[in-house]
């Protein structure tokens, strides 16, 4: 009985060793595929049309757009502040009128 158990253990041990070797072999194959230097190398070149603008001209246009956006933002803030001031003054005048000048006629 012990010989059968020993034999089974020995077989399991050999199978485990064989599986480990197969796994190591597969890993080596995968690693060699990853690090293969036989891959073709193609140099790419950016396509530029013949009538394209110069690089500094693109930067000038972008700067101009940014400047115009800043001016528009400042004008919008200025208009919003004037409008808010007008609304606040209107509400204050209306409240003063209601508090002090509106007649309270009560018919009892």
């Amino acid at each position: 009985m012990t010989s059968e158990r020993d034999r089974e253990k020995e077989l399991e041990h050999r199978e485990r060793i064989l599986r480990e070797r197969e796994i190591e072999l597969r890993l080596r194959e995968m690693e060699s595929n990853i690090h293969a230097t036989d891959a073709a190398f193609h140099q790419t070149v950016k396509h530029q049309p013949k009538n394209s603008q110069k690089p500094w001209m693109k930067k000038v246009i972008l700067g101009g757009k940014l400047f115009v956006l800043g001016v528009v933002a400042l004008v919008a803030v200025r208009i919003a502040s004037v409008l808010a001031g007008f609304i606040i003054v209107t509400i204050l005048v209306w409240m003063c009128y209601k508090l002090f000048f509106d007649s309270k006629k009560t018919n009892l």
Side-chain angles (χ1 to χ4, degrees), residues 23-89:
I23 290 172
E24 288 177 6
L25 182 64
R26 286 184 199 151
L27 288 175
R28 281 191 213 120
E29 288 176 359
M30 291 171 76
E31 192 173 304
S32 66
N33 287 341
I34 290 172
H35 297 301
T37 57
D38 298 334
F41 180 73
H42 298 285
Q43 180 69 30
T44 59
V45 178
K46 183 178 179 183
H47 173 71
Q48 294 182 350
K50 293 178 182 177
N51 59 356
S52 68
Q53 296 175 347
K54 297 177 182 170
W56 61 269
M57 190 63 161
K58 288 182 180 179
K59 290 181 181 178
V60 168
I61 291 173
L62 183 63
K65 288 179 182 178
L66 184 61
F67 177 75
V68 169
L69 183 64
V71 169
V72 167
L74 287 174
V75 169
V77 167
R78 195 60 88 129
I79 291 172
S81 67
V82 168
L83 185 62
F86 178 73
I87 291 172
I88 290 171
V89 168

